Amino acid sequence: QQQVKQSPQSLIVQKGGIPIINCAYENTAFDYFPWYQQFPGKGPALLIAIRPDVSEKKEGRFTISFNKSAKQFSLHIMDSQPGDSATYFCAASINSGYNFNKFYFGSGTKLNVKP
Amino acid sequence: NAGVTQTPKFRVLKTGQSMTLLCAQDMNHEYMYWYRQDPGMGLRLIHYSVGEGTTAKGEVPDGYNVSRLKKQNFLLGLESAAPSQTSVYFCACRRPSVYEQYFGPGTRLTVT
């Protein structure tokens, strides 16, 4: 059973559009929600992250919206560029004891931004 | 400062063969993780380590073993490879006080 459900699987937008990727979770013990960006042949890299006591976080053109009551969070990319074409993963972290956190990842969204 | 490196980058194994994947980090991070990435599945945790000499099982540990003899190295072993272990394997590390994980470039493994 997947702990974090991500949609859509793929997304195509025109340059300048605002792609939105959604994630949902069930476990209310999750305490940190990062988004990772992955280019082909590379490892994931942290893009932006949020904690559940905050409803929105912006970093440059990337925004996370967080709805604690609905147990959902989403990534918005403002003024998207062809260079944003990548696979995006949401994740959720839970403390597993000894101050160690496990991370559960969504299934990924492949974004294609057309010029 | 290489960050996180993984060796090898690619490998093809026959069913039943064994191999070891090496992850090395020069960031002096305590925690290290091994994940596998499969299409439509995201990343799933295989094993992890909270420090030198310690390892623990993640979500999908069957068929894998790990060792962390030195703080900077985390080894993932496949004793008898199966086609179901065809995947891309990523190693990651992080500091205890910081949630951000740093990933290596991955190892693409094919088992025929």
Side-chain angles (χ1 to χ4, degrees):
Chain A
Q1 182 186 358
Q2 197 141 20
Q3 298 258 9
V4 181
K5 295 184 179 176
Q6 183 172 346
S7 62
Q9 270 191 318
S10 62
L11 196 50
I12 301 174
V13 299
Q14 292 294 130
K15 178 183 171 183
I18 305 176
I20 300 172
I21 305 170
N22 300 299
C23 285
Y25 65 96
E26 285 299 323
N27 193 338
T28 55
F30 287 139
D31 61 358
Y32 174 79
F33 299 87
W35 284 90
Y36 285 84
Q37 181 186 55
Q38 184 181 29
F39 293 104
K42 305 290 185 186
L46 180 66
L47 188 62
I48 185 173
I50 197 167
R51 291 196 182 270
D53 53 349
V54 176
S55 61
E56 185 176 276
K57 184 173 182 181
K58 290 184 182 180
E59 284 186 6
R61 294 183 294 107
F62 301 92
T63 299
I64 300 178
S65 296
F66 190 86
N67 186 330
K68 190 173 181 177
S69 60
K71 291 185 277 188
Q72 295 175 349
F73 59 110
S74 59
L75 177 70
H76 302 233
I77 306 176
M78 306 302 175
D79 187 27
S80 59
Q81 302 296 313
D84 297 329
S85 297
T87 299
Y88 293 83
F89 292 95
C90 62
S93 167
I94 188 167
N95 191 307
S96 301
Y98 302 104
N99 201 31
F100 182 79
N101 283 66
K102 287 185 182 177
F103 292 80
Y104 294 91
F105 287 78
S107 53
T109 296
K110 190 170 184 180
L111 173 66
N112 184 6
V113 181
K114 291 189 172 295
Chain B
N1 199 353
V4 183
T5 58
Q6 292 184 234
T7 310
K9 287 185 168 43
F10 303 94
R11 186 74 185 267
V12 178
L13 284 181
K14 293 192 172 151
T15 298
Q17 287 185 320
S18 63
M19 78 164 293
T20 300
L21 284 68
L22 170 64
C23 175
Q25 52 108 352
D26 61 6
M27 306 173 82
N28 201 33
H29 287 182
E30 289 292 333
Y31 297 166
M32 295 188 76
Y33 303 73
W34 273 110
Y35 293 93
R36 58 178 289 172
Q37 183 178 42
D38 302 293
M41 302 283 290
L43 285 88
R44 291 180 293 167
L45 182 63
I46 305 172
H47 285 280
Y48 62 94
S49 168
V50 299
E52 184 178 315
T54 71
T55 63
K57 294 180 180 179
E59 292 177 81
V60 289
D62 294 343
Y64 305 96
N65 56 73
V66 286
S67 64
R68 184 119 180 251
L69 299 178
K70 292 183 180 180
K71 184 178 181 178
Q72 62 267 35
N73 294 338
F74 195 25
L75 278 65
L76 178 70
L78 286 74
E79 289 188 348
S80 179
S84 61
Q85 294 178 303
T86 293
S87 188
V88 181
Y89 292 86
F90 288 100
C91 171
C93 66
R94 60 175 270 254
R95 293 196 300 266
S97 56
V98 179
Y99 280 46
E100 180 174 1
Q101 294 183 89
Y102 294 85
F103 284 85
T107 294
R108 183 173 292 275
L109 175 66
T110 302
V111 183
T112 61

